[in-house]
Amino acid sequence: MLRIDSHQHFWQLSRGDYLWLTPELGLLYRDYLPNNFSPLLQQANVAKTVLVQAAATTAETEFILKLASETEFVAGVVGWVDMESTDALADLARFSENPYFKGVRPMIQDVSDINWMLKEQLAPVFNYLIAHDLTFDALILPEHLDALYILLKRYPDLKVVIDHGAKPGIENSSSPQWFEKIALIARETSAFCKLSGLVTEASSNPHFDKLAPYMEHLLVCFGAERLMWGSDWPVVETSSNYQSWLSQVEGFLIPLSSKEQHSIWAHTAQKFYQL
């Protein structure tokens, strides 16, 4: 069965634009590039990936687009533009000339204003994304779900995927309203969701039983047609590892039909990102 990893990163420390990436992050504080990742993909029988931005600069988007053109397994790139800048539309137009460019991801989780995505000055960018069939990755926390719901209602034609299930507080069960708000968004909007990043929210080497209620909720709410698997490599290595997370997802999907499994492993990502 075809497998596509809908969420992975590369970075090169010498570039200097990964402001969040500090020595305190331990094993993440080194270069992660295609030659580091390729053996893991071969071992896991993963054919293609979606490469996602990791720095809030257009220069990094140019860097990962170049990597994509040189890397056989990268099928698409989710980049970054300064959505508040007067250059935003020009940057989008320039990136859109590259066939690997699929959409953008602002680093909303790092913005102090939880309603930032609702600012009127961002409207031209959202309208551009809709008009040009580009995607929007919502890198959010549970406290952003209310604003995301409003945004989705405001722009019903915007192609949105929620990264990492909106990062529920699994380790200490600190997001009780997450279940209700995720259900509302899934029920009343056309948003997609990534089955990714959950292990990182659940402490070190979490047992499947700890993850299962959250994984089951995402599946019930979004269905296989709007759910896509992703590794969040190399971040996944901080709490688990690539093969372990993949194995947990394999076990989780066993009860599903072949068609549903194919959707989560590959088809949803193919459809959403037009890979």
Side-chain angles (χ1 to χ4, degrees), residues 44-71:
N45 196 28
V46 173
K48 297 288 181 183
T49 72
V50 177
L51 175 55
V52 180
Q53 64 80 229
T57 66
T58 52
E60 196 244 2
T61 297
E62 290 163 2
F63 168 67
I64 59 176
L65 283 168
K66 183 172 185 294
L67 283 180
S69 70
E70 302 165 350
T71 307

Side-chain angles (χ1 to χ4, degrees), residues 8 10 34 38 41-42 46-49 66-76 100:
Q8 56 101 177
F10 293 133
S38 185
L41 296 177
Q42 290 172 8
V46 173
K48 297 288 181 183
T49 72
K66 183 172 185 294
L67 283 180
S69 70
E70 302 165 350
T71 307
E72 189 176 349
F73 59 76
V74 175
Y100 286 99

Side-chain angles (χ1 to χ4, degrees), residues 68-88:
S69 70
E70 302 165 350
T71 307
E72 189 176 349
F73 59 76
V74 175
V77 166
V78 178
W80 182 92
V81 298
D82 181 352
M83 292 177 64
E84 296 183 74
S85 165
T86 53
D87 296 327

Side-chain angles (χ1 to χ4, degrees), residues 246-260:
L246 184 131
S247 296
Q248 287 178 318
V249 176
E250 282 178 337
F252 173 63
L253 299 185
I254 282 173
L256 302 188
S257 71
S258 174
K259 182 181 179 183
E260 289 170 321

Side-chain angles (χ1 to χ4, degrees), residues 92-93 96 102 126-135 274:
L92 283 171
S96 295
K102 302 301 177 183
F126 287 124
N127 287 321
Y128 187 98
L129 295 177
I130 293 166
H132 294 83
D133 205 20
L134 295 169
T135 62
Q274 300 182 64

